[in-house]
Structures are given as structure tokens and as C-alpha cells.
Amino acid sequence: MASTVKVLLVEDSRFDALVLSTMLRKFHCEITMAKNGKEFVDMFLEGRKFDIVLCDNDMPIMSGPKAVEKIRAMEESDVKIVGLSANDNAQEVFMRVGADVFVPKPMKLDVLEAMIQEVINKKKNTMV
């Protein structure tokens, strides 16, 4: 099935990761997990490709915004990056380093669904 959305979920909280991955499964996404920003960057360095990245802000080893900054410096512009945080101040930081969208935690199902649908539509348009 070519329209499967490949999601990288970058989240150090097991609870938040479980909630988000449960929501993503409703949309039949292929989910890969990373526990910190370094794992996120390493996956891109290994050549892994994702359609969308959901990235937490505060994580051990490397923060979400630092990882986003490194990914964008690698000229990875096709992947949609969503910054996540319960801290509203994180929005400015995420957007400044190249995130496409910022969503406050907890993420609502309808917000996630709209983002996944946007990625599916983009994939369909690039296949034509």
C-alpha cells in the first residue's frame, strides 16, 4: 500500500509515546520511535526517510529543536516536522529552527488526523 504514512515519533516519555502511537495506528501509519534528538538525527544520517516527524521539545542527550536544526542543516526539506511541547514558549524556538508546525501537548486526535491527511494528499500528488 503506497499511501502508508511513515512517521518518526521522537519522544522520551513512554506515556506520551504510547498515547501518540495509539492515535497514529488509527490512521494506519508506519511508526518508528526515537527516544531523543540524537536518535532522530542518527536515523537521517543512516539515510532513513519519513513523511512526518513528531518531535518533543525537552529530551535527554539532544533537545527537539536542536535535532530539527541539524536535520534542516542537512537539507532535509521534504519531511514535515511537527514540534510538540506542553510549554508554549517552545513554539518560537521550534519555528525558528525549521519546524513546519508547532502543536501544544496534549495533541488532539482531530489535529493529528488533519496533518496525516495532508501528508497523504501530498504523497498522492507527487505520485502522479
Side-chain angles (χ1 to χ4, degrees):
M1 184 159 106
S3 65
T4 300
V5 175
K6 293 182 180 179
V7 180
L8 175 59
L9 178 53
V10 189
E11 175 61 74
D12 63 317
S13 160
R14 295 213 335 240
F15 176 77
D16 288 350
L18 178 65
V19 170
L20 282 167
S21 60
T22 300
M23 289 169 45
L24 288 164
R25 282 191 194 95
K26 291 181 190 289
F27 309 115
H28 310 287
C29 295
E30 182 182 308
I31 307 163
T32 302
M33 308 283 276
K35 292 191 274 312
N36 59 60
K38 183 181 182 315
E39 289 183 10
F40 167 20
V41 171
D42 287 348
M43 287 182 191
F44 276 81
L45 289 171
E46 292 164 6
R48 309 261 319 259
K49 297 288 182 195
F50 301 95
D51 299 307
I52 186 169
V53 176
L54 304 177
C55 186
D56 185 32
N57 180 37
D58 294 319
M59 294 179 289
I61 304 170
M62 185 186 294
S63 72
K66 187 67 182 169
V68 171
E69 186 174 35
K70 286 181 177 287
I71 295 299
R72 292 305 192 209
M74 294 162 51
E75 298 185 6
E76 288 286 349
S77 58
D78 288 345
V79 64
K80 181 179 185 83
I81 298 179
V82 180
L84 302 172
S85 181
N87 180 350
D88 288 338
N89 296 337
Q91 178 173 1
E92 182 188 334
V93 178
F94 266 115
M95 300 310 285
R96 188 174 62 239
V97 296
D100 297 293
V101 183
F102 174 81
V103 178
K105 284 182 173 181
M107 183 182 285
K108 293 177 175 49
L109 187 63
D110 60 330
V111 172
L112 181 61
E113 182 177 21
M115 285 190 287
I116 297 299
Q117 193 57 53
E118 182 184 319
V119 171
I120 289 170
N121 292 344
K122 182 182 172 192
K123 285 179 76 155
K124 283 181 183 171
N125 289 338
T126 57
M127 286 183 188
V128 178

